[in-house]
Amino acid sequence: MKKIMFNDRFGLTEAVLAGRKTMTRRIIPLIEIDWAGRGRVTPPVSGYENGCLWMDCRQFLPDSGKFDYVAPRKYQPAYKVGEVVAVAQRYQDIPMDVLMQRRTDGMTDRWPFESLLRQSHGWGNKQGVVASLMPHRIRITGIKMERLQDISDEDCLREGVTRKASPLDGGWNYRVKGLPPKSKRNGSVTNFATSADGTVAIFATPRAAFAALIDRISGKGTWNSNPWVFAYEFELVE
């Protein structure tokens, strides 16, 4: 079984487990190619077929040189529709009794098992956890490939942005947990509120909220660079 990680700092794992986050976008790392001193370039996307992104490198060749027969590059999504994936959590964030129930070695002695987990990389870093020990699962229900900025307002909410009624004008505002205070983000004036579990950033539109979130998760300028992404739809099944 594979595992998938969501950002804890911005409350995304919590949103998944609460059923509020039902989509995730993962950037496709497109290759750069340097042909005979022409400079490093990213070949254009030539199509999307059978769940895969294709880049036809031949479109970049102006002559009939030796590079004419470079095969198209194929990018496949990490998960498939219908696949059940474990939601990664640090061992220290999971009750030990739950971890004990997930054991597959047939042993019932708790203390050696707990000691082993406490000393493992996965105790404080979910990159090191074993998928079979994770108590929560999602099922991939849909996959699409698009540019990051093609996201709809509805999908922004499915990505974990929360919507709340504004007491000032009777409209709506859109919130992201955990962002540090700034006066402006992506051209949208931002306010901040303090909740019991940290700072909540408030935006005028769902796109502005998601743009700020993706820039914090994937690096400054990600939204403006508008990369190709695989957008996974999922449902919580356990």
Side-chain angles (χ1 to χ4, degrees):
M1 177 180 289
K2 297 177 184 176
K3 61 187 177 185
I4 188 169
M5 289 183 285
F6 299 97
N7 194 291
D8 291 332
R9 178 179 177 184
F10 305 112
L12 299 186
T13 302
E14 174 188 342
V16 170
L17 301 186
R20 292 186 288 104
K21 180 174 172 64
T22 58
M23 288 196 81
T24 184
R25 280 159 172 73
R26 303 296 162 112
I27 295 171
I28 304 171
L30 302 184
I31 60 171
E32 290 186 339
I33 299 176
D34 189 354
W35 276 315
R38 293 187 175 103
R40 298 192 66 81
V41 294
T42 297
V45 171
S46 60
Y48 180 66
E49 184 178 2
N50 297 327
C52 300
L53 175 67
W54 292 86
M55 299 174 66
D56 191 351
C57 301
R58 291 169 297 184
Q59 295 184 39
F60 256 82
L61 302 176
D63 50 41
S64 58
K66 62 180 180 179
F67 298 106
D68 276 358
Y69 303 101
V70 176
R73 180 67 179 263
K74 176 181 177 182
Y75 292 90
Q76 293 180 294
Y79 311 102
K80 298 178 181 179
V81 173
E83 185 172 7
V84 175
V85 185
V87 178
Q89 295 177 269
R90 301 180 303 175
Y91 292 139
Q92 65 178 284
D93 296 332
I94 305 171
M96 190 56 58
D97 289 343
V98 173
L99 290 169
M100 284 288 295
Q101 293 172 5
R102 293 283 177 177
R103 294 181 69 173
T104 59
D105 56 12
M107 302 296 290
T108 59
D109 193 345
R110 168 172 173 156
W111 299 113
F113 178 66
E114 181 173 349
S115 178
L116 181 65
L117 292 185
R118 286 181 176 274
Q119 296 176 50
S120 72
H121 181 58
W123 184 256
N125 188 330
K126 57 187 176 182
Q127 289 184 335
V129 301
V130 177
S132 61
L133 291 176
M134 298 296 100
H136 301 287
R137 309 276 191 269
I138 59 171
R139 179 185 291 113
I140 306 299
T141 58
I143 304 173
K144 59 183 177 180
M145 185 274 294
E146 63 184 14
R147 291 282 193 175
L148 182 62
Q149 292 183 19
D150 290 339
I151 189 171
S152 65
D153 286 352
E154 178 186 358
D155 282 0
C156 288
L157 299 177
R158 295 183 65 189
E159 282 276 359
V161 171
T162 57
R163 184 177 76 163
K164 292 202 174 184
S166 172
L168 299 179
D169 55 15
W172 298 96
N173 57 50
Y174 302 89
R175 302 183 173 213
V176 176
K177 176 182 175 181
L179 293 183
K182 280 190 176 181
S183 59
K184 288 187 178 182
R185 277 188 190 276
N186 298 294
S188 177
V189 175
T190 305
N191 296 317
F192 291 85
T194 301
S195 65
D197 54 356
T199 302
V200 176
I202 304 172
F203 298 86
T205 67
R207 283 173 63 83
F210 178 74
L213 176 63
I214 199 69
D215 272 0
R216 294 296 297 182
I217 293 174
S218 300
K220 185 177 180 180
T222 298
W223 174 259
N224 288 334
S225 68
N226 198 22
W228 289 96
V229 297
F230 283 121
Y232 298 97
E233 301 176 71
F234 58 85
E235 60 182 358
L236 186 66
V237 295
E238 185 177 354

